[in-house]
Structures are given as structure tokens and as C-alpha cells.
Amino acid sequence: TLPASTTGTATILARAVDDSGNLQGTPASRSFTVGAASCPCTLWPPSATPAVAADPETRTVNLGVKFRANRNGYITGIRFFKGAGNTGTHVGALWTATGTLLGSTTFVNETATGWQQQNFDTPIPVTAGTVYVASYRAPNGRYAFNGGYFTNAGVTSGPLTALRNGESGGNGVYVYGGTSVLFPTSSYQSANYWVDVVFQPEP
């Protein structure tokens, strides 16, 4: 399995050695084409689950994740993992890294628990290599999380990468309070609050 980070032509070289130490002189080669990832793409698959599905905290909080795409495209929706007790009206949002709101959407027809997804009315264009923040507002807390998730590495899935903590400030971001969506700026122990995006190369 090759986790390719770019598309186009690539070549693998291989050579063998036997138990007597005889090394193949000229490597064998095989060229192949790396195609574009099949989208819509997300950071985490539907099977992914948090270590803690519902924190005891019940204050209103906006939770987010910093991410980037490796090619131009569109964010068509926001996802988050919902644990028991994470009730009320949830609002997803997409921001620039400096806090400019690019779009928001209110979740409807949620299930009791598990992954929730809500699409934007209009897909939002994003630029390759640029950092964005996806967030959602949990009016009654009880959010999902994994402590230390982004401490040593980010997460790459297809064209999307959730950043390692420190790559563009802290990742796993939050802000308490507010009567509408707020830009999450604080981070604590590189936590993952299980916020995700839906990416498409075309709108």
C-alpha cells in the first residue's frame, strides 16, 4: 500500500538479495499512474469513533479542527461526531485561519448519536495549501474528544490533512459561550473534537 500525496506518474524500483548475500545489480522498475482520490472526501471514515463520545461538560462551546487540502476544491458540508447528551441545535461553520466566517449551516434531521453531516447551501471554494478551520456549536456541551490526538502527527486522508499541533498554532480548537457561532481559538492538550469537512474537487 502506497499513501501517495500527489497525482501523476510515479516509478517503484526494487532489487532482491538472497541468503548468500548476492545482490541484484540492476533494480527492476515499474511505472504507474496515481489517480485523483475519489470524492466526496472526509478526514475520518464513517467507522471512526472517539475515545470519549460525550464529555461531562455542559457549557455552550464551539469546537473545531484546522485543516488544509492539497488541491483546489470546495467544502460542501460539515460533519461532527455526536455522543449521548449532545443535544440542542448544532450549527456548523467554515472559517479562514484568521477568523473570517466563510459560511455556516444549521444541522437538521440528526440521529441520536454517531456522525452527523449538514451541507452548505452553496459549496465554499478552498485553495490548495491554505489553512482553514471547520467548527460546530454544541449548545449543551457533551462533545466527543480524544486527548493528545494531534500531539505528534496530523491526519491525512486523500486530499485533506488535519494539522499536527504546532504546525499552524494549536489544533483541536474551542471557545466557550456565545449565542451564535464563534471562531474557536483556544486549544488544550492537542485534543481532537471530531469535527470534519466534506471536500469535492468540483462544486
Side-chain angles (χ1 to χ4, degrees):
T1 299
L2 172 68
S5 58
T6 59
T7 59
T9 302
T11 301
I12 289 179
L13 301 177
R15 61 181 179 177
V17 60
D18 64 18
D19 57 6
S20 298
N22 298 308
L23 182 65
Q24 179 181 347
T26 302
S29 68
R30 176 67 60 86
S31 295
F32 59 96
T33 300
V34 180
S38 176
C39 286
C41 301
T42 60
L43 286 163
W44 289 280
S47 59
T49 57
V52 177
D55 187 85
E57 174 66 68
T58 58
R59 287 185 290 171
T60 298
V61 63
N62 290 263
L63 304 148
V65 63
K66 294 180 180 179
F67 75 95
R68 64 172 176 260
N70 67 10
R71 54 180 166 149
N72 295 341
Y74 296 81
I75 300 301
T76 60
I78 300 287
R79 302 170 71 228
F80 75 94
F81 191 94
K82 179 181 180 180
N86 189 348
T87 57
T89 300
H90 300 101
V91 181
L94 184 69
W95 313 79
T96 67
T98 55
T100 299
L101 180 63
L102 300 176
S104 63
T105 183
T106 301
F107 284 79
V108 296
N109 301 322
E110 293 185 18
T111 58
T113 58
W115 283 104
Q116 313 297 315
Q117 178 178 325
Q118 187 65 42
N119 292 335
F120 293 109
D121 290 338
T122 303
I124 300 171
V126 292
T127 303
T130 301
V131 176
Y132 298 90
V133 177
S135 74
Y136 83 99
R137 181 177 183 269
N140 297 307
R142 305 287 291 173
Y143 51 84
F145 81 97
N146 278 52
Y149 195 95
F150 296 117
T151 300
N152 298 315
V155 173
T156 296
S157 177
L160 297 173
T161 297
L163 306 185
R164 175 184 55 81
N165 195 65
E167 189 172 347
S168 180
N171 204 1
V173 287
Y174 68 92
V175 61
Y176 284 107
T179 57
S180 61
V181 290
L182 296 177
F183 181 57
T185 55
S186 299
S187 62
Y188 180 71
Q189 295 185 349
S190 310
N192 178 15
Y193 299 113
W194 295 92
V195 188
D196 201 350
V197 293
V198 183
F199 174 88
Q200 285 274 25
E202 299 295 337

PDB file of all heavy atoms in Angstrom, residues 34-57:
ATOM      1  N   VAL A  34      -0.730   7.567 -10.511  1.00  0.00           N
ATOM      2  CA  VAL A  34      -1.506   7.821  -9.300  1.00  0.00           C
ATOM      3  C   VAL A  34      -2.682   8.714  -9.685  1.00  0.00           C
ATOM      4  O   VAL A  34      -2.497   9.844 -10.130  1.00  0.00           O
ATOM      5  CB  VAL A  34      -0.656   8.515  -8.219  1.00  0.00           C
ATOM      6  CG1 VAL A  34      -1.492   8.765  -6.964  1.00  0.00           C
ATOM      7  CG2 VAL A  34       0.573   7.677  -7.896  1.00  0.00           C
ATOM      8  N   GLY A  35      -3.884   8.177  -9.562  1.00  0.00           N
ATOM      9  CA  GLY A  35      -5.070   8.943  -9.913  1.00  0.00           C
ATOM     10  C   GLY A  35      -5.541   9.811  -8.761  1.00  0.00           C
ATOM     11  O   GLY A  35      -5.080   9.698  -7.624  1.00  0.00           O
ATOM     12  N   ALA A  36      -6.444  10.700  -9.058  1.00  0.00           N
ATOM     13  CA  ALA A  36      -7.031  11.555  -8.026  1.00  0.00           C
ATOM     14  C   ALA A  36      -7.902  10.722  -7.095  1.00  0.00           C
ATOM     15  O   ALA A  36      -8.489   9.720  -7.492  1.00  0.00           O
ATOM     16  CB  ALA A  36      -7.863  12.659  -8.669  1.00  0.00           C
ATOM     17  N   ALA A  37      -7.952  11.148  -5.843  1.00  0.00           N
ATOM     18  CA  ALA A  37      -8.792  10.440  -4.868  1.00  0.00           C
ATOM     19  C   ALA A  37     -10.257  10.564  -5.256  1.00  0.00           C
ATOM     20  O   ALA A  37     -10.690  11.572  -5.805  1.00  0.00           O
ATOM     21  CB  ALA A  37      -8.571  11.021  -3.481  1.00  0.00           C
ATOM     22  N   SER A  38     -10.991   9.499  -4.998  1.00  0.00           N
ATOM     23  CA  SER A  38     -12.421   9.518  -5.263  1.00  0.00           C
ATOM     24  C   SER A  38     -13.118  10.326  -4.178  1.00  0.00           C
ATOM     25  O   SER A  38     -12.949  10.056  -2.993  1.00  0.00           O
ATOM     26  CB  SER A  38     -12.958   8.088  -5.294  1.00  0.00           C
ATOM     27  OG  SER A  38     -14.348   8.082  -5.466  1.00  0.00           O
ATOM     28  N   CYS A  39     -13.834  11.339  -4.572  1.00  0.00           N
ATOM     29  CA  CYS A  39     -14.508  12.212  -3.608  1.00  0.00           C
ATOM     30  C   CYS A  39     -16.004  12.191  -3.856  1.00  0.00           C
ATOM     31  O   CYS A  39     -16.428  11.854  -4.957  1.00  0.00           O
ATOM     32  CB  CYS A  39     -13.961  13.647  -3.722  1.00  0.00           C
ATOM     33  SG  CYS A  39     -12.294  13.834  -3.029  1.00  0.00           S
ATOM     34  N   PRO A  40     -16.852  12.547  -2.866  1.00  0.00           N
ATOM     35  CA  PRO A  40     -16.507  13.413  -1.739  1.00  0.00           C
ATOM     36  C   PRO A  40     -15.555  12.757  -0.740  1.00  0.00           C
ATOM     37  O   PRO A  40     -15.633  11.560  -0.484  1.00  0.00           O
ATOM     38  CB  PRO A  40     -17.862  13.709  -1.090  1.00  0.00           C
ATOM     39  CG  PRO A  40     -18.735  12.565  -1.506  1.00  0.00           C
ATOM     40  CD  PRO A  40     -18.285  12.192  -2.885  1.00  0.00           C
ATOM     41  N   CYS A  41     -14.654  13.596  -0.164  1.00  0.00           N
ATOM     42  CA  CYS A  41     -13.629  13.127   0.755  1.00  0.00           C
ATOM     43  C   CYS A  41     -13.837  13.753   2.122  1.00  0.00           C
ATOM     44  O   CYS A  41     -14.276  14.898   2.239  1.00  0.00           O
ATOM     45  CB  CYS A  41     -12.247  13.514   0.237  1.00  0.00           C
ATOM     46  SG  CYS A  41     -11.855  12.864  -1.398  1.00  0.00           S
ATOM     47  N   THR A  42     -13.495  12.992   3.160  1.00  0.00           N
ATOM     48  CA  THR A  42     -13.568  13.469   4.534  1.00  0.00           C
ATOM     49  C   THR A  42     -12.268  13.101   5.250  1.00  0.00           C
ATOM     50  O   THR A  42     -11.496  12.270   4.774  1.00  0.00           O
ATOM     51  CB  THR A  42     -14.760  12.846   5.279  1.00  0.00           C
ATOM     52  OG1 THR A  42     -14.612  11.420   5.286  1.00  0.00           O
ATOM     53  CG2 THR A  42     -16.081  13.220   4.613  1.00  0.00           C
ATOM     54  N   LEU A  43     -12.032  13.729   6.397  1.00  0.00           N
ATOM     55  CA  LEU A  43     -10.836  13.416   7.176  1.00  0.00           C
ATOM     56  C   LEU A  43     -10.934  12.050   7.842  1.00  0.00           C
ATOM     57  O   LEU A  43      -9.945  11.344   7.960  1.00  0.00           O
ATOM     58  CB  LEU A  43     -10.612  14.499   8.240  1.00  0.00           C
ATOM     59  CG  LEU A  43     -10.093  15.836   7.723  1.00  0.00           C
ATOM     60  CD1 LEU A  43     -10.306  16.932   8.762  1.00  0.00           C
ATOM     61  CD2 LEU A  43      -8.624  15.730   7.347  1.00  0.00           C
ATOM     62  N   TRP A  44     -12.134  11.698   8.309  1.00  0.00           N
ATOM     63  CA  TRP A  44     -12.327  10.430   9.002  1.00  0.00           C
ATOM     64  C   TRP A  44     -13.446   9.639   8.346  1.00  0.00           C
ATOM     65  O   TRP A  44     -14.462  10.210   7.924  1.00  0.00           O
ATOM     66  CB  TRP A  44     -12.668  10.668  10.481  1.00  0.00           C
ATOM     67  CG  TRP A  44     -11.490  11.174  11.246  1.00  0.00           C
ATOM     68  CD1 TRP A  44     -10.450  10.456  11.742  1.00  0.00           C
ATOM     69  CD2 TRP A  44     -11.207  12.546  11.583  1.00  0.00           C
ATOM     70  NE1 TRP A  44      -9.539  11.280  12.362  1.00  0.00           N
ATOM     71  CE2 TRP A  44      -9.981  12.567  12.280  1.00  0.00           C
ATOM     72  CE3 TRP A  44     -11.885  13.751  11.366  1.00  0.00           C
ATOM     73  CZ2 TRP A  44      -9.412  13.737  12.761  1.00  0.00           C
ATOM     74  CZ3 TRP A  44     -11.308  14.925  11.843  1.00  0.00           C
ATOM     75  CH2 TRP A  44     -10.094  14.916  12.533  1.00  0.00           C
ATOM     76  N   PRO A  45     -13.293   8.316   8.265  1.00  0.00           N
ATOM     77  CA  PRO A  45     -14.335   7.485   7.666  1.00  0.00           C
ATOM     78  C   PRO A  45     -15.522   7.341   8.608  1.00  0.00           C
ATOM     79  O   PRO A  45     -15.413   7.623   9.810  1.00  0.00           O
ATOM     80  CB  PRO A  45     -13.626   6.138   7.469  1.00  0.00           C
ATOM     81  CG  PRO A  45     -12.601   6.106   8.560  1.00  0.00           C
ATOM     82  CD  PRO A  45     -12.118   7.528   8.708  1.00  0.00           C
ATOM     83  N   PRO A  46     -16.662   6.882   8.103  1.00  0.00           N
ATOM     84  CA  PRO A  46     -17.832   6.693   8.960  1.00  0.00           C
ATOM     85  C   PRO A  46     -17.595   5.728  10.123  1.00  0.00           C
ATOM     86  O   PRO A  46     -18.284   5.792  11.136  1.00  0.00           O
ATOM     87  CB  PRO A  46     -18.888   6.137   7.995  1.00  0.00           C
ATOM     88  CG  PRO A  46     -18.459   6.612   6.644  1.00  0.00           C
ATOM     89  CD  PRO A  46     -16.960   6.622   6.678  1.00  0.00           C
ATOM     90  N   SER A  47     -16.608   4.842   9.980  1.00  0.00           N
ATOM     91  CA  SER A  47     -16.326   3.853  11.024  1.00  0.00           C
ATOM     92  C   SER A  47     -15.514   4.423  12.184  1.00  0.00           C
ATOM     93  O   SER A  47     -15.391   3.780  13.232  1.00  0.00           O
ATOM     94  CB  SER A  47     -15.580   2.665  10.422  1.00  0.00           C
ATOM     95  OG  SER A  47     -14.359   3.095   9.837  1.00  0.00           O
ATOM     96  N   ALA A  48     -14.928   5.614  12.026  1.00  0.00           N
ATOM     97  CA  ALA A  48     -14.085   6.200  13.074  1.00  0.00           C
ATOM     98  C   ALA A  48     -14.934   6.622  14.273  1.00  0.00           C
ATOM     99  O   ALA A  48     -16.002   7.214  14.108  1.00  0.00           O
ATOM    100  CB  ALA A  48     -13.328   7.397  12.527  1.00  0.00           C
ATOM    101  N   THR A  49     -14.445   6.329  15.475  1.00  0.00           N
ATOM    102  CA  THR A  49     -15.168   6.684  16.700  1.00  0.00           C
ATOM    103  C   THR A  49     -14.203   7.288  17.715  1.00  0.00           C
ATOM    104  O   THR A  49     -13.027   6.922  17.759  1.00  0.00           O
ATOM    105  CB  THR A  49     -15.861   5.466  17.324  1.00  0.00           C
ATOM    106  OG1 THR A  49     -14.874   4.453  17.575  1.00  0.00           O
ATOM    107  CG2 THR A  49     -16.948   4.915  16.423  1.00  0.00           C
ATOM    108  N   PRO A  50     -14.688   8.202  18.548  1.00  0.00           N
ATOM    109  CA  PRO A  50     -13.823   8.857  19.542  1.00  0.00           C
ATOM    110  C   PRO A  50     -13.584   7.980  20.763  1.00  0.00           C
ATOM    111  O   PRO A  50     -14.353   7.063  21.062  1.00  0.00           O
ATOM    112  CB  PRO A  50     -14.625  10.111  19.922  1.00  0.00           C
ATOM    113  CG  PRO A  50     -16.048   9.702  19.717  1.00  0.00           C
ATOM    114  CD  PRO A  50     -16.040   8.771  18.535  1.00  0.00           C
ATOM    115  N   ALA A  51     -12.509   8.299  21.489  1.00  0.00           N
ATOM    116  CA  ALA A  51     -12.247   7.610  22.755  1.00  0.00           C
ATOM    117  C   ALA A  51     -13.299   7.978  23.789  1.00  0.00           C
ATOM    118  O   ALA A  51     -13.744   7.139  24.567  1.00  0.00           O
ATOM    119  CB  ALA A  51     -10.849   7.969  23.268  1.00  0.00           C
ATOM    120  N   VAL A  52     -13.700   9.254  23.793  1.00  0.00           N
ATOM    121  CA  VAL A  52     -14.752   9.744  24.682  1.00  0.00           C
ATOM    122  C   VAL A  52     -15.866  10.296  23.810  1.00  0.00           C
ATOM    123  O   VAL A  52     -15.686  11.293  23.126  1.00  0.00           O
ATOM    124  CB  VAL A  52     -14.230  10.827  25.644  1.00  0.00           C
ATOM    125  CG1 VAL A  52     -15.359  11.370  26.515  1.00  0.00           C
ATOM    126  CG2 VAL A  52     -13.098  10.286  26.507  1.00  0.00           C
ATOM    127  N   ALA A  53     -17.018   9.649  23.819  1.00  0.00           N
ATOM    128  CA  ALA A  53     -18.117  10.070  22.946  1.00  0.00           C
ATOM    129  C   ALA A  53     -18.846  11.291  23.479  1.00  0.00           C
ATOM    130  O   ALA A  53     -19.389  12.079  22.700  1.00  0.00           O
ATOM    131  CB  ALA A  53     -19.109   8.925  22.751  1.00  0.00           C
ATOM    132  N   ALA A  54     -18.860  11.479  24.807  1.00  0.00           N
ATOM    133  CA  ALA A  54     -19.605  12.589  25.400  1.00  0.00           C
ATOM    134  C   ALA A  54     -18.919  13.042  26.683  1.00  0.00           C
ATOM    135  O   ALA A  54     -19.007  12.368  27.710  1.00  0.00           O
ATOM    136  CB  ALA A  54     -21.047  12.190  25.675  1.00  0.00           C
ATOM    137  N   ASP A  55     -18.230  14.182  26.631  1.00  0.00           N
ATOM    138  CA  ASP A  55     -17.603  14.763  27.809  1.00  0.00           C
ATOM    139  C   ASP A  55     -18.676  15.230  28.791  1.00  0.00           C
ATOM    140  O   ASP A  55     -19.757  15.657  28.378  1.00  0.00           O
ATOM    141  CB  ASP A  55     -16.729  15.942  27.381  1.00  0.00           C
ATOM    142  CG  ASP A  55     -15.908  16.488  28.520  1.00  0.00           C
ATOM    143  OD1 ASP A  55     -14.819  15.946  28.770  1.00  0.00           O
ATOM    144  OD2 ASP A  55     -16.358  17.462  29.167  1.00  0.00           O
ATOM    145  N   PRO A  56     -18.416  15.196  30.109  1.00  0.00           N
ATOM    146  CA  PRO A  56     -19.417  15.654  31.077  1.00  0.00           C
ATOM    147  C   PRO A  56     -19.722  17.152  31.005  1.00  0.00           C
ATOM    148  O   PRO A  56     -20.753  17.599  31.503  1.00  0.00           O
ATOM    149  CB  PRO A  56     -18.778  15.301  32.429  1.00  0.00           C
ATOM    150  CG  PRO A  56     -17.729  14.304  32.134  1.00  0.00           C
ATOM    151  CD  PRO A  56     -17.265  14.564  30.755  1.00  0.00           C
ATOM    152  N   GLU A  57     -18.822  17.939  30.391  1.00  0.00           N
ATOM    153  CA  GLU A  57     -19.011  19.387  30.281  1.00  0.00           C
ATOM    154  C   GLU A  57     -20.337  19.715  29.595  1.00  0.00           C
ATOM    155  O   GLU A  57     -20.672  19.134  28.557  1.00  0.00           O
ATOM    156  CB  GLU A  57     -17.857  19.985  29.476  1.00  0.00           C
ATOM    157  CG  GLU A  57     -17.976  21.457  29.164  1.00  0.00           C
ATOM    158  CD  GLU A  57     -17.910  22.306  30.415  1.00  0.00           C
ATOM    159  OE1 GLU A  57     -16.832  22.349  31.035  1.00  0.00           O
ATOM    160  OE2 GLU A  57     -18.946  22.898  30.764  1.00  0.00           O
TER     161      GLU A  57
END
